[in-house]
Amino acid sequence: MSDIQTDEASPAQGALEAGIIPVTTVLLVTACALAAAYLATVISQAVHVVNFDDEVTARLLAVHAQALEILSIHVERERVAGHELPFDETERAWLIGLEDAQRRLATMRGRPLPSPFHGATQFARAATGFGAVALVAVAVFLLMSRNNGRRS
């Protein structure tokens, strides 16, 4: 709203008046709209992640099921033959395809493939640490000193 004041010789001047209630209402509506937009973004991201994980799981299960079927057929052929048989080209291609599918899906998820030798790499790191090297050095020194004592 505005009030207009006039003087005889000067032009009319208006004064804009805004109460606290309209300003507060606009600020609250704006804050609610921003919060709703943020929540919608977070919810849509969560739904996308769940759907993506479900799709990746379904694809991995399908690939694993096919690989297991091929391996079971191979094992049955070995049982009939009575000895181990090498994988033929089709079986080898399926196993390589399984690994490629796992690598692609791991790349899409942004996670590395788990290493089958994770325990071995941890053991190697622990074994090459300073404490392990010092322990081996002390053990070698003690063994050498015992052997020198027996010779004299």
Side-chain angles (χ1 to χ4, degrees), residues 4-75:
I4 298 180
Q5 297 177 349
T6 57
D7 280 334
E8 294 177 5
S10 61
Q13 296 179 349
L16 184 61
E17 295 178 8
I20 191 82
I21 294 176
V23 171
T24 305
T25 304
V26 169
L27 289 176
L28 284 176
V29 169
T30 303
C32 288
L34 289 174
Y38 176 75
L39 283 175
T41 302
V42 170
I43 290 170
S44 68
Q45 288 173 351
V47 167
H48 174 71
V49 167
V50 168
N51 288 340
F52 178 76
D53 285 346
D54 289 346
E55 178 190 342
V56 167
T57 302
R59 287 172 61 186
L60 274 175
L61 286 174
V63 171
H64 279 108
Q66 292 171 343
L68 287 174
E69 183 179 339
I70 287 173
L71 287 176
S72 67
I73 292 170
H74 179 79
V75 168

Side-chain angles (χ1 to χ4, degrees), residues 106-121:
T107 302
M108 288 170 53
R109 293 180 81 183
R111 297 180 188 156
L113 281 175
S115 171
F117 303 108
H118 183 66
T121 57

Side-chain angles (χ1 to χ4, degrees), residues 69-88 91-92 95:
E69 183 179 339
I70 287 173
L71 287 176
S72 67
I73 292 170
H74 179 79
V75 168
E76 184 62 27
R77 281 188 343 175
E78 286 181 339
R79 190 186 65 76
V80 169
H83 57 86
E84 289 185 18
L85 297 173
F87 290 113
D88 62 12
E91 294 168 337
R92 206 172 296 129
L95 294 175

Side-chain angles (χ1 to χ4, degrees), residues 86-143:
F87 290 113
D88 62 12
E89 289 302 317
T90 307
E91 294 168 337
R92 206 172 296 129
W94 270 105
L95 294 175
I96 291 171
L98 171 64
E99 184 179 359
D100 290 342
Q102 289 173 334
R103 288 188 191 284
R104 279 193 312 272
L105 294 173
T107 302
M108 288 170 53
R109 293 180 81 183
R111 297 180 188 156
L113 281 175
S115 171
F117 303 108
H118 183 66
T121 57
Q122 283 183 341
F123 174 75
R125 286 184 188 140
T128 58
F130 177 74
V133 172
L135 185 62
V136 169
V138 169
V140 168
F141 176 74
L142 289 175
L143 288 174

